[in-house]
Every structure is written in C-alpha cells, then in structure tokens.
Amino acid sequence: MIQAETLTGSTSSDAAAFPRALRASGFEGEIAMDEATRLTMATDNSIYQVAPELVLFPATGADIVRVLETIGTKGFRDIGFTPRGGGTGTNGQSLGRSVVMDTSRHLNRILEIDPDGRRARVEPGVVLNQLNTALAGHGLFFPPHVSTASRATLGGMIGTDACGKGSARYGRTHDYVESLELVLADGRVLRLRSLTRDEVDSGDSPEAALARSLRERCAADPRAIAGAFPEMTRSLTGYNLRDAFGADGSVHLQHLVTGAEGTLGFVRQATLNLLPLPARRGMAVVRYASFDDALQDARELLATRPSAIETLDEHLFELARKDSDWFRVQQAMTGGTPPEKPLAVNFVEYEADDDAWLEGRLAGLDEALAASGRSIGHHVAADE
Ligand SMILES: Cc1cc2nc3c(=O)[nH]c(=O)nc-3n(C[C@H](O)[C@H](O)[C@H](O)COP(=O)(O)OP(=O)(O)OC[C@H]3O[C@@H](n4cnc5c(N)ncnc54)[C@H](O)[C@@H]3O)c2cc1C
C-alpha cells in the first residue's frame, strides 16, 4: 500500500515572495499553490509521492525564461525546479519538493511541419499521438514510440530519451532530435545542434564555447567514454557522452540533453527529424507452450528483421482470457482455435515499403519458426 502524501503547508520562506517576483517579471501563465493542484502534481506513474510547494503552468516559451531568470538571478537560488510533461515517468522524475513546471497545459503547439525537409518544430508539451496524428496527413511519423503515447509529451520523451516498440529498428529519441532550445538554470537560452569540428574550434557563439570546453574536459579520451558504456540496445545510464562527442571532433550537445531528465536545463522547443510512414505493415502471432520458449525464439527471430517483437507470458494470457473483452481479441490471439491451457505469445511485427518485402519477411518467419521448432502454431493477424 502506498502511503498517502500529506500536505504540511509551505516550508519555504520564499513561498510568498517568489510568486510576487514572478508576476513582476511578466510571467503570464498560472501560478498554483492550492492543495488540489499540489496533490495532483505529487504523483506520477511511480510509487513515489512528493508534493511541490508551487506549480507553474507557463503560457509561453518566454515564461520559462522568466521563471528561471527569477530563480537564478533574483535572490531565489535555493528554489529548485522540475520540468513536467505528461507525468507518465515510472521513477518519480517529474516530482519535486520545490517548483514543478508543467508544460502539458499550454506549451503544446506544433509550431511547424516541413514535409519536404521531413522535420517538425514543437513545444515540449506536445503529446506523441498528437504529433503523429498531425504528421500522418503528410505521410510522415516520429519513430520513437512509448506505450503511453496518448499522454507522454515530447519534452518528457526527450527528458528520458524514450523508446519502446520498434526501437530495435528505429532507435531512441535522441536519434531524431535535430536541435533544441534549452533554457539554463539562470534563464540563458542555448540553441543546441550538431557542430562540426571547425565550428567548435573557431565558433564564437556561446554554444560553440560550451562545446569546446566540454569536449576538452569530457572527451579528451573518446575511447574511455566508449569503453564505459555497456553494449546494450537500450543503454540509458547517465549522460549520453558517447553520442555527444564524435570521433571527428564534432559535438552534438542536443544528445547530451536528451536523456538528462531535465537536470541540464528546460527544453522549450525541439526540432525533430521524421521518417516516411511505412506503406505496409504485417503482424504474426506466434504461440508457445511456455514463456521460456517464446523468449528464446524472440532472440532468433530478430534475424528476420522485424520492426518489433512483443512477448506475452502465460499469466497475462490467462488474465486476458478471463477478461470480458476476450471475445474481441480471441481470434487474433489464438488464430481461431481456443487453447486448452494458457499460452505464451510472440507478436512479431514487420514494416515494409512494398508488398514484396513484406511477403518476403513473413516467408522468412515461416522458415525461422520451422527451423527452431519451439512454437506450437502461428498465424498472420494483421496485414495492412
Ligand atoms: C504503462 C507505461 C508504459 C511505458 N512505456 C514506455 C516505453 O515503452 N518506453 C519508454 O521509454 N518509456 C515508457 N514509459 C515511461 C514514460 O511514459 C516515458 O518516459 C515518457 O516519455 C515520459 O513522458 P512524460 O511526458 O510523461 O514525461 P514526465 O514523466 O512528465 O517527465 C519525464 C522526465 O522528463 C523531464 N522533462 C519533461 N519535460 C521536460 C522539458 N520540457 N525539459 C526538460 N526535461 C523535461 C522531467 O523532468 C522528467 O525527468 C512507460 C510508462 C508507463 C506508465
């Protein structure tokens, strides 16, 4: 049982003075100190509960600068701030005792879609599904996917370098972040994009100066950095030094910020790279007598180059079978033959630009399954 957070009232002597200073700075968004808002913001999708003293809903990107300038330069340096998007993080990352700044209420505009350049410029509170719905009309999509796509924001995805289904093929969020506008803790704004070695060596912008100094301090020995990161498809430990510094002397500070959980600054705008929507998609449902068989096969089925494999164990299968909505998915899950006992399942998805490639993948799956001999049946559940 999770213990309920109790509000003890504000503990900070700055609690009343800070909102006044913020309004005086021209802050246009909402400032909330009421118990209902603080309690709502005391939870996310983690087991933690931490009530903030103050919740801010910035109305514009300029508001973020006003908040951080006020904190950084006007006598409120003790105040910490936590950016918050959809609050779907599972580790309590969007919770904080001091000031929580929620982007999802107002900073949720898609500022520009450039179909020819295959990029979009967004505010941080844009939700993933909102973006992909807008892009679909242009035949484009933002590839990193999270199960929480109906709520997770691009700011939160950048904060966590998110990726989910499809990551084996498409990679992580940082692979698609072309540039970022980052507001630092003192209100200064940096525009972070990839800089070539020459730009880093001789540029006179604050971004180039920062890149120079970081390259000197962090990337003096690129092999040490490469060696420190384990070879994992989804390595998310610490700052992404590996992708921030190129072996050719280039620097990519947007990769350092992506995955930094808001600790390096507040992302107030992002320019994202996009891909064309695949023309065809097919999914096979492969059934197994045990979860172990399904897991072992999943590794081998990667050789057939699926866009995603999701594995379901017997317990989840059984829970689904007892659900009142089972009749809706029974055909897709079982291929029509009701199983006598719970099964484990691999959902193997392929995406293709043409029919021949998709047919080839599905034929390759048949062969791989016959060769492994672990599955007890499969069928193509979706072919669109
Ligand atoms: C059921 C479930 C399934 C999930 N599936 C996946 C999955 O498949 N893949 C995956 O990667 N994650 C998954 N998650 C975790 C979570 O949904 C993702 O990390 C998501 O990207 C977080 O987005 P959010 O808008 O909710 O961010 P929040 O939770 O609000 O914030 C996440 C982090 O980003 C920071 N942040 C938010 N906005 C900004 C900003 N503007 N500037 C700087 N930092 C910012 C926050 O401070 C925090 O550290 C899942 C969570 C649940 C509950």
Side-chain angles (χ1 to χ4, degrees), residues 78-103:
D78 290 343
I79 293 182
F81 71 91
T82 308
R84 179 175 171 118
T88 69
T90 48
N91 310 302
Q93 316 101 297
S94 63
L95 309 180
R97 281 263 168 241
S98 201
V99 173
V100 165
M101 274 206 273
D102 181 305
T103 62

Side-chain angles (χ1 to χ4, degrees), residues 195-204 208 212 215 248-250:
L195 297 175
T196 62
R197 169 180 223 123
D198 284 351
E199 286 173 320
V200 176
D201 288 347
S202 50
D204 54 8
R212 252 192 321 273
R215 192 181 59 187
D248 57 359
S250 58

Side-chain angles (χ1 to χ4, degrees), residues 112-150:
E112 188 185 354
I113 295 176
D114 169 9
D116 296 331
R118 289 188 192 158
R119 59 172 75 86
R121 198 159 52 84
V122 299
E123 291 184 325
V126 168
V127 169
L128 178 59
N129 275 359
Q130 174 195 353
L131 177 63
N132 277 332
T133 302
L135 294 175
H138 301 280
L140 297 169
F141 78 120
F142 180 68
H145 188 271
V146 286
S147 317
T148 45
S150 62

Side-chain angles (χ1 to χ4, degrees), residues 164-177:
K165 188 169 84 73
S167 59
R169 177 174 173 141
Y170 293 115
R172 287 149 51 183
T173 294
H174 81 263
D175 294 310
Y176 299 89
V177 175

Side-chain angles (χ1 to χ4, degrees), residues 44-45 64 82-90 92-95 101 103 124-125 145-148 151-165 182 234 236 257 260-263 265-268:
D44 59 0
N45 253 310
I64 297 172
T82 308
R84 179 175 171 118
T88 69
T90 48
Q93 316 101 297
S94 63
L95 309 180
M101 274 206 273
T103 62
H145 188 271
V146 286
S147 317
T148 45
R151 287 165 183 73
T153 62
L154 269 306
M157 289 184 72
I158 291 167
T160 57
D161 199 2
C163 68
K165 188 169 84 73
L182 186 75
R234 188 164 195 249
L236 284 178
V257 171
E261 303 271 13
T263 57
F266 203 114
V267 173
R268 75 165 183 179

